[in-house]
Amino acid sequence: DARVTQTPRHKVTEMGQEVTMRCQPILGHNTVFWYRQTMMQGLELLAYFRNRAPLDDSGMPKDRFSAEMPDATLATLKIQPSEPRDSAVYFCASGSTLGNQPQHFGDGTRLSIL
Amino acid sequence: GNSVTQMEGPVTLSEEAFLTINCTYTATGYPSLFWYVQYPGEGLQLLLKATKADDKGSNKGFEATYRKETTSFHLEKGSVQVSDSAVYFCALILYSGNTPLVFGKGTRLSVIA
């Protein structure tokens, strides 16, 4: 089965450090989403792209977060500088505008900022 | 705005018990409705979906019916197994399958033998 691949699976770092999370969407999917999961807030949308163009990043703190799609096979989410409140699980999902297919999720990056 | 409300957990059941997890929604348009399941340490997997009123989604013994009159999409299973222990998320999408999902808070289910 095709899968969304996220790396790293786990990341522990000190506050102030830069964190980069990567996502490889399913081949042929043209829409990529970044969600964040915390105990307090549940699942929140951070940003999403269609055909590599950002459509909505209103869920991201702009001063420290940035999301890009350098090419169709790679999406990145960066935090600089990181803060303890950024500790969460970050999920990438991909989907296609062809047909009525559901979004497919990666297994997430579990981020801990000390 | 658009939102999903689902019952608070955790829910603890004995094996073979009947499961209901309530989900209601508020939407500005005509949404498609989903149940996703998250097993420990994993991402979300689509469990079932319904795209119009009175549709019934079903998968792995789970069912949910899209009720427009009560804006609900309750998840049910007649006989749960230990392997069903997970967190269940109700979600909606407006317009198409490739706009962002709006999730409920999730309901943790624990099934004991």
Side-chain angles (χ1 to χ4, degrees), chain B residues 10-58:
Chain B
V11 174
T12 302
L13 295 174
S14 297
E15 211 167 18
E16 299 184 5
F18 185 86
L19 169 71
T20 300
I21 301 178
N22 290 336
C23 170
T24 57
Y25 67 89
T26 302
T28 53
Y30 198 160
S32 294
L33 302 174
F34 303 82
W35 278 99
Y36 278 81
V37 58
Q38 184 180 27
Y39 299 101
E42 297 184 12
L44 280 73
Q45 301 174 27
L46 178 67
L47 181 59
L48 53 84
K49 67 176 184 179
T51 57
K52 60 183 188 298
D54 300 325
D55 266 3
K56 178 187 282 188
S58 61

Short mmCIF file of all heavy atoms in Angstrom, two decimals, chain B residues 10-58:
data_model
loop_
_atom_site.label_atom_id
_atom_site.label_comp_id
_atom_site.label_asym_id
_atom_site.label_seq_id
_atom_site.Cartn_x
_atom_site.Cartn_y
_atom_site.Cartn_z
N PRO B 10 -12.32 8.70 28.76
CA PRO B 10 -12.20 7.42 28.05
C PRO B 10 -13.43 6.54 28.24
O PRO B 10 -14.17 6.70 29.19
CB PRO B 10 -10.97 6.79 28.70
CG PRO B 10 -10.94 7.36 30.07
CD PRO B 10 -11.49 8.75 29.96
N VAL B 11 -13.61 5.66 27.28
CA VAL B 11 -14.66 4.67 27.35
C VAL B 11 -14.00 3.31 27.57
O VAL B 11 -13.09 2.94 26.84
CB VAL B 11 -15.48 4.64 26.04
CG1 VAL B 11 -16.49 3.50 26.05
CG2 VAL B 11 -16.17 5.98 25.80
N THR B 12 -14.44 2.61 28.58
CA THR B 12 -13.91 1.29 28.89
C THR B 12 -15.03 0.27 28.78
O THR B 12 -16.08 0.43 29.43
CB THR B 12 -13.29 1.24 30.29
OG1 THR B 12 -12.26 2.23 30.38
CG2 THR B 12 -12.68 -0.13 30.56
N LEU B 13 -14.82 -0.75 27.96
CA LEU B 13 -15.83 -1.78 27.74
C LEU B 13 -15.20 -3.15 27.87
O LEU B 13 -13.99 -3.32 27.63
CB LEU B 13 -16.43 -1.65 26.34
CG LEU B 13 -17.24 -0.39 26.02
CD1 LEU B 13 -17.63 -0.38 24.55
CD2 LEU B 13 -18.49 -0.33 26.89
N SER B 14 -16.04 -4.11 28.20
CA SER B 14 -15.61 -5.50 28.18
C SER B 14 -15.73 -6.03 26.76
O SER B 14 -16.55 -5.56 25.95
CB SER B 14 -16.46 -6.34 29.12
OG SER B 14 -16.30 -5.89 30.45
N GLU B 15 -14.91 -7.02 26.46
CA GLU B 15 -14.96 -7.64 25.14
C GLU B 15 -16.38 -8.13 24.86
O GLU B 15 -17.08 -8.62 25.74
CB GLU B 15 -13.99 -8.82 25.11
CG GLU B 15 -13.38 -9.08 23.76
CD GLU B 15 -12.19 -10.03 23.82
OE1 GLU B 15 -12.04 -10.75 24.82
OE2 GLU B 15 -11.40 -10.03 22.86
N GLU B 16 -16.79 -7.95 23.61
CA GLU B 16 -18.12 -8.34 23.10
C GLU B 16 -19.23 -7.38 23.50
O GLU B 16 -20.39 -7.62 23.15
CB GLU B 16 -18.49 -9.78 23.51
CG GLU B 16 -17.50 -10.82 22.96
CD GLU B 16 -17.91 -12.24 23.29
OE1 GLU B 16 -19.00 -12.43 23.86
OE2 GLU B 16 -17.15 -13.17 22.98
N ALA B 17 -18.91 -6.32 24.20
CA ALA B 17 -19.93 -5.32 24.53
C ALA B 17 -20.28 -4.49 23.30
O ALA B 17 -19.54 -4.44 22.32
CB ALA B 17 -19.43 -4.41 25.66
N PHE B 18 -21.43 -3.79 23.39
CA PHE B 18 -21.87 -2.90 22.32
C PHE B 18 -21.25 -1.52 22.51
O PHE B 18 -21.19 -1.01 23.63
CB PHE B 18 -23.40 -2.78 22.36
CG PHE B 18 -23.98 -1.98 21.23
CD1 PHE B 18 -24.26 -2.56 20.01
CD2 PHE B 18 -24.25 -0.61 21.39
CE1 PHE B 18 -24.79 -1.82 18.96
CE2 PHE B 18 -24.78 0.13 20.34
CZ PHE B 18 -25.05 -0.47 19.13
N LEU B 19 -20.80 -0.95 21.41
CA LEU B 19 -20.14 0.35 21.46
C LEU B 19 -20.97 1.41 20.74
O LEU B 19 -21.45 1.18 19.62
CB LEU B 19 -18.77 0.28 20.79
CG LEU B 19 -18.07 1.63 20.52
CD1 LEU B 19 -17.61 2.25 21.83
CD2 LEU B 19 -16.91 1.45 19.56
N THR B 20 -21.11 2.57 21.39
CA THR B 20 -21.62 3.77 20.72
C THR B 20 -20.72 4.92 21.11
O THR B 20 -20.48 5.14 22.30
CB THR B 20 -23.06 4.11 21.14
OG1 THR B 20 -23.92 3.04 20.80
CG2 THR B 20 -23.52 5.38 20.42
N ILE B 21 -20.24 5.66 20.14
CA ILE B 21 -19.53 6.91 20.38
C ILE B 21 -20.30 8.00 19.64
O ILE B 21 -20.44 7.96 18.42
CB ILE B 21 -18.07 6.89 19.89
CG1 ILE B 21 -17.29 5.78 20.59
CG2 ILE B 21 -17.40 8.24 20.16
CD1 ILE B 21 -15.84 5.64 20.13
N ASN B 22 -20.82 8.94 20.41
CA ASN B 22 -21.65 9.99 19.82
C ASN B 22 -20.82 11.07 19.15
O ASN B 22 -19.76 11.46 19.65
CB ASN B 22 -22.53 10.63 20.89
CG ASN B 22 -23.61 9.69 21.38
OD1 ASN B 22 -24.00 8.75 20.69
ND2 ASN B 22 -24.09 9.92 22.58
N CYS B 23 -21.34 11.57 18.03
CA CYS B 23 -20.70 12.65 17.29
C CYS B 23 -21.77 13.54 16.69
O CYS B 23 -22.69 13.04 16.03
CB CYS B 23 -19.82 12.10 16.19
SG CYS B 23 -19.19 13.35 15.04
N THR B 24 -21.68 14.83 16.94
CA THR B 24 -22.56 15.80 16.29
C THR B 24 -21.70 16.87 15.64
O THR B 24 -20.54 17.07 16.03
CB THR B 24 -23.54 16.45 17.27
OG1 THR B 24 -22.79 17.07 18.32
CG2 THR B 24 -24.50 15.44 17.86
N TYR B 25 -22.26 17.54 14.65
CA TYR B 25 -21.47 18.50 13.90
C TYR B 25 -22.26 19.79 13.68
O TYR B 25 -23.49 19.81 13.73
CB TYR B 25 -21.01 17.92 12.57
CG TYR B 25 -22.14 17.66 11.60
CD1 TYR B 25 -22.56 18.65 10.71
CD2 TYR B 25 -22.80 16.44 11.57
CE1 TYR B 25 -23.61 18.43 9.83
CE2 TYR B 25 -23.85 16.21 10.70
CZ TYR B 25 -24.25 17.20 9.85
OH TYR B 25 -25.29 16.98 8.98
N THR B 26 -21.52 20.83 13.42
CA THR B 26 -22.06 22.11 12.96
C THR B 26 -21.30 22.48 11.70
O THR B 26 -20.05 22.43 11.70
CB THR B 26 -21.86 23.22 14.02
OG1 THR B 26 -22.48 22.83 15.23
CG2 THR B 26 -22.46 24.53 13.54
N ALA B 27 -22.03 22.79 10.64
CA ALA B 27 -21.35 23.10 9.38
C ALA B 27 -22.12 24.18 8.63
O ALA B 27 -23.35 24.19 8.64
CB ALA B 27 -21.21 21.85 8.52
N THR B 28 -21.37 25.03 7.95
CA THR B 28 -22.00 26.11 7.17
C THR B 28 -22.51 25.61 5.83
O THR B 28 -23.30 26.28 5.18
CB THR B 28 -20.99 27.24 6.94
OG1 THR B 28 -19.80 26.68 6.37
CG2 THR B 28 -20.64 27.92 8.26
N GLY B 29 -22.05 24.44 5.42
CA GLY B 29 -22.51 23.88 4.15
C GLY B 29 -22.96 22.44 4.35
O GLY B 29 -23.49 22.08 5.41
N TYR B 30 -22.73 21.62 3.32
CA TYR B 30 -23.17 20.23 3.34
C TYR B 30 -21.92 19.36 3.41
O TYR B 30 -21.30 19.09 2.39
CB TYR B 30 -23.96 19.95 2.06
CG TYR B 30 -24.82 18.72 2.09
CD1 TYR B 30 -25.86 18.58 1.19
CD2 TYR B 30 -24.61 17.69 3.00
CE1 TYR B 30 -26.67 17.45 1.19
CE2 TYR B 30 -25.40 16.57 3.02
CZ TYR B 30 -26.44 16.45 2.10
OH TYR B 30 -27.23 15.34 2.11
N PRO B 31 -21.56 18.92 4.63
CA PRO B 31 -20.27 18.25 4.77
C PRO B 31 -20.30 16.78 4.40
O PRO B 31 -21.35 16.14 4.34
CB PRO B 31 -19.99 18.40 6.26
CG PRO B 31 -21.36 18.37 6.89
CD PRO B 31 -22.25 19.08 5.91
N SER B 32 -19.11 16.23 4.16
CA SER B 32 -18.88 14.80 4.20
C SER B 32 -18.36 14.48 5.60
O SER B 32 -17.65 15.28 6.21
CB SER B 32 -17.83 14.37 3.15
OG SER B 32 -18.32 14.60 1.85
N LEU B 33 -18.72 13.31 6.11
CA LEU B 33 -18.41 12.94 7.49
C LEU B 33 -17.54 11.70 7.53
O LEU B 33 -17.68 10.79 6.69
CB LEU B 33 -19.71 12.71 8.27
CG LEU B 33 -20.67 13.89 8.30
CD1 LEU B 33 -21.99 13.49 8.98
CD2 LEU B 33 -20.06 15.09 9.03
N PHE B 34 -16.66 11.65 8.51
CA PHE B 34 -15.66 10.60 8.60
C PHE B 34 -15.48 10.15 10.05
O PHE B 34 -15.67 10.93 10.99
CB PHE B 34 -14.28 11.09 8.11
CG PHE B 34 -14.28 11.64 6.72
CD1 PHE B 34 -14.68 12.94 6.47
CD2 PHE B 34 -13.87 10.85 5.65
CE1 PHE B 34 -14.67 13.46 5.18
CE2 PHE B 34 -13.87 11.36 4.36
CZ PHE B 34 -14.27 12.66 4.13
N TRP B 35 -15.09 8.91 10.20
CA TRP B 35 -14.50 8.43 11.44
C TRP B 35 -13.09 7.94 11.12
O TRP B 35 -12.90 7.14 10.20
CB TRP B 35 -15.31 7.29 12.06
CG TRP B 35 -16.48 7.77 12.86
CD1 TRP B 35 -17.78 7.83 12.46
CD2 TRP B 35 -16.45 8.26 14.21
NE1 TRP B 35 -18.56 8.34 13.48
CE2 TRP B 35 -17.77 8.60 14.55
CE3 TRP B 35 -15.43 8.44 15.15
CZ2 TRP B 35 -18.10 9.13 15.81
CZ3 TRP B 35 -15.76 8.95 16.39
CH2 TRP B 35 -17.08 9.29 16.71
N TYR B 36 -12.12 8.47 11.88
CA TYR B 36 -10.74 8.02 11.80
C TYR B 36 -10.39 7.30 13.10
O TYR B 36 -10.92 7.63 14.16
CB TYR B 36 -9.78 9.20 11.61
CG TYR B 36 -9.65 9.69 10.19
CD1 TYR B 36 -10.60 10.55 9.65
CD2 TYR B 36 -8.58 9.29 9.39
CE1 TYR B 36 -10.48 11.01 8.34
CE2 TYR B 36 -8.46 9.75 8.09
CZ TYR B 36 -9.40 10.61 7.57
OH TYR B 36 -9.30 11.06 6.29
N VAL B 37 -9.45 6.36 13.03
CA VAL B 37 -8.99 5.64 14.21
C VAL B 37 -7.48 5.79 14.32
O VAL B 37 -6.77 5.79 13.30
CB VAL B 37 -9.40 4.14 14.16
CG1 VAL B 37 -8.86 3.43 12.94
CG2 VAL B 37 -8.97 3.42 15.43
N GLN B 38 -7.01 5.97 15.55
CA GLN B 38 -5.58 6.12 15.81
C GLN B 38 -5.16 5.08 16.83
O GLN B 38 -5.55 5.15 18.00
CB GLN B 38 -5.27 7.53 16.32
CG GLN B 38 -3.79 7.79 16.51
CD GLN B 38 -3.50 9.20 17.01
OE1 GLN B 38 -4.32 9.83 17.67
NE2 GLN B 38 -2.33 9.71 16.68
N TYR B 39 -4.33 4.13 16.39
CA TYR B 39 -3.77 3.15 17.30
C TYR B 39 -2.50 3.73 17.92
O TYR B 39 -1.88 4.63 17.34
CB TYR B 39 -3.47 1.84 16.55
CG TYR B 39 -4.71 1.20 15.97
CD1 TYR B 39 -5.02 1.33 14.62
CD2 TYR B 39 -5.61 0.51 16.79
CE1 TYR B 39 -6.17 0.76 14.09
CE2 TYR B 39 -6.76 -0.05 16.27
CZ TYR B 39 -7.04 0.08 14.92
OH TYR B 39 -8.19 -0.47 14.40
N PRO B 40 -2.11 3.24 19.08
CA PRO B 40 -0.96 3.82 19.80
C PRO B 40 0.28 3.93 18.91
O PRO B 40 0.68 2.97 18.26
CB PRO B 40 -0.75 2.84 20.95
CG PRO B 40 -2.10 2.24 21.18
CD PRO B 40 -2.74 2.13 19.82
N GLY B 41 0.87 5.13 18.90
CA GLY B 41 2.11 5.34 18.17
C GLY B 41 1.96 5.44 16.66
O GLY B 41 2.96 5.49 15.94
N GLU B 42 0.73 5.46 16.18
CA GLU B 42 0.51 5.49 14.74
C GLU B 42 -0.25 6.74 14.32
O GLU B 42 -0.74 7.50 15.15
CB GLU B 42 -0.27 4.25 14.31
CG GLU B 42 0.48 2.95 14.56
CD GLU B 42 -0.27 1.74 14.03
OE1 GLU B 42 -1.24 1.92 13.26
OE2 GLU B 42 0.11 0.62 14.37
N GLY B 43 -0.33 6.93 13.01
CA GLY B 43 -1.12 8.02 12.48
C GLY B 43 -2.60 7.65 12.43
O GLY B 43 -3.01 6.61 12.93
N LEU B 44 -3.36 8.55 11.83
CA LEU B 44 -4.79 8.32 11.73
C LEU B 44 -5.11 7.49 10.49
O LEU B 44 -4.58 7.73 9.41
CB LEU B 44 -5.55 9.65 11.65
CG LEU B 44 -5.77 10.37 12.98
CD1 LEU B 44 -4.49 10.98 13.49
CD2 LEU B 44 -6.84 11.43 12.83
N GLN B 45 -6.02 6.54 10.66
CA GLN B 45 -6.47 5.72 9.54
C GLN B 45 -7.96 5.96 9.34
O GLN B 45 -8.71 6.00 10.32
CB GLN B 45 -6.25 4.23 9.83
CG GLN B 45 -4.83 3.84 10.10
CD GLN B 45 -4.73 2.39 10.53
OE1 GLN B 45 -5.56 1.56 10.17
NE2 GLN B 45 -3.71 2.07 11.31
N LEU B 46 -8.35 6.09 8.10
CA LEU B 46 -9.78 6.24 7.83
C LEU B 46 -10.49 4.94 8.20
O LEU B 46 -10.12 3.86 7.73
CB LEU B 46 -10.01 6.57 6.36
CG LEU B 46 -11.47 6.70 5.95
CD1 LEU B 46 -12.09 7.93 6.62
CD2 LEU B 46 -11.60 6.79 4.44
N LEU B 47 -11.53 5.05 9.01
CA LEU B 47 -12.32 3.88 9.38
C LEU B 47 -13.55 3.76 8.48
O LEU B 47 -13.83 2.70 7.93
CB LEU B 47 -12.75 4.00 10.84
CG LEU B 47 -13.55 2.85 11.43
CD1 LEU B 47 -12.79 1.54 11.35
CD2 LEU B 47 -13.95 3.17 12.87
N LEU B 48 -14.29 4.86 8.32
CA LEU B 48 -15.46 4.84 7.45
C LEU B 48 -15.86 6.27 7.12
O LEU B 48 -15.41 7.21 7.77
CB LEU B 48 -16.62 4.06 8.06
CG LEU B 48 -17.08 4.45 9.47
CD1 LEU B 48 -18.05 5.61 9.46
CD2 LEU B 48 -17.71 3.25 10.18
N LYS B 49 -16.71 6.40 6.11
CA LYS B 49 -17.13 7.74 5.71
C LYS B 49 -18.55 7.70 5.14
O LYS B 49 -19.05 6.63 4.76
CB LYS B 49 -16.19 8.33 4.67
CG LYS B 49 -16.23 7.62 3.32
CD LYS B 49 -15.33 8.33 2.31
CE LYS B 49 -15.47 7.66 0.95
NZ LYS B 49 -14.63 8.34 -0.08
N ALA B 50 -19.17 8.88 5.09
CA ALA B 50 -20.49 9.04 4.45
C ALA B 50 -20.54 10.43 3.84
O ALA B 50 -20.09 11.40 4.45
CB ALA B 50 -21.61 8.86 5.46
N THR B 51 -21.03 10.53 2.64
CA THR B 51 -20.96 11.80 1.93
C THR B 51 -22.30 12.49 1.76
O THR B 51 -22.35 13.65 1.34
CB THR B 51 -20.33 11.60 0.54
OG1 THR B 51 -21.11 10.64 -0.17
CG2 THR B 51 -18.90 11.12 0.65
N LYS B 52 -23.41 11.81 2.08
CA LYS B 52 -24.70 12.49 1.99
C LYS B 52 -25.66 11.92 3.02
O LYS B 52 -25.44 10.84 3.58
CB LYS B 52 -25.28 12.38 0.59
CG LYS B 52 -25.54 10.99 0.09
CD LYS B 52 -26.04 11.04 -1.35
CE LYS B 52 -26.49 9.68 -1.84
NZ LYS B 52 -25.41 8.68 -1.86
N ALA B 53 -26.73 12.65 3.22
CA ALA B 53 -27.70 12.29 4.25
C ALA B 53 -28.23 10.88 4.04
O ALA B 53 -28.47 10.45 2.91
CB ALA B 53 -28.85 13.29 4.25
N ASP B 54 -28.35 10.15 5.14
CA ASP B 54 -28.87 8.78 5.22
C ASP B 54 -27.88 7.74 4.71
O ASP B 54 -28.17 6.53 4.77
CB ASP B 54 -30.21 8.63 4.48
CG ASP B 54 -31.28 9.52 5.06
OD1 ASP B 54 -31.28 9.72 6.29
OD2 ASP B 54 -32.11 10.05 4.29
N ASP B 55 -26.71 8.16 4.23
CA ASP B 55 -25.67 7.20 3.89
C ASP B 55 -25.20 6.50 5.14
O ASP B 55 -25.07 7.12 6.20
CB ASP B 55 -24.45 7.92 3.28
CG ASP B 55 -24.50 7.97 1.77
OD1 ASP B 55 -25.51 7.50 1.20
OD2 ASP B 55 -23.54 8.47 1.17
N LYS B 56 -24.91 5.21 5.02
CA LYS B 56 -24.31 4.48 6.13
C LYS B 56 -22.92 4.05 5.72
O LYS B 56 -22.75 3.36 4.72
CB LYS B 56 -25.15 3.25 6.49
CG LYS B 56 -24.53 2.42 7.62
CD LYS B 56 -25.29 1.11 7.85
CE LYS B 56 -26.55 1.35 8.61
NZ LYS B 56 -27.20 0.06 9.02
N GLY B 57 -21.91 4.48 6.49
CA GLY B 57 -20.56 4.00 6.28
C GLY B 57 -20.34 2.79 7.17
O GLY B 57 -20.85 2.73 8.29
N SER B 58 -19.56 1.83 6.67
CA SER B 58 -19.28 0.65 7.48
C SER B 58 -17.92 0.08 7.13
O SER B 58 -17.46 0.18 5.98
CB SER B 58 -20.36 -0.41 7.29
OG SER B 58 -20.40 -0.83 5.94
#
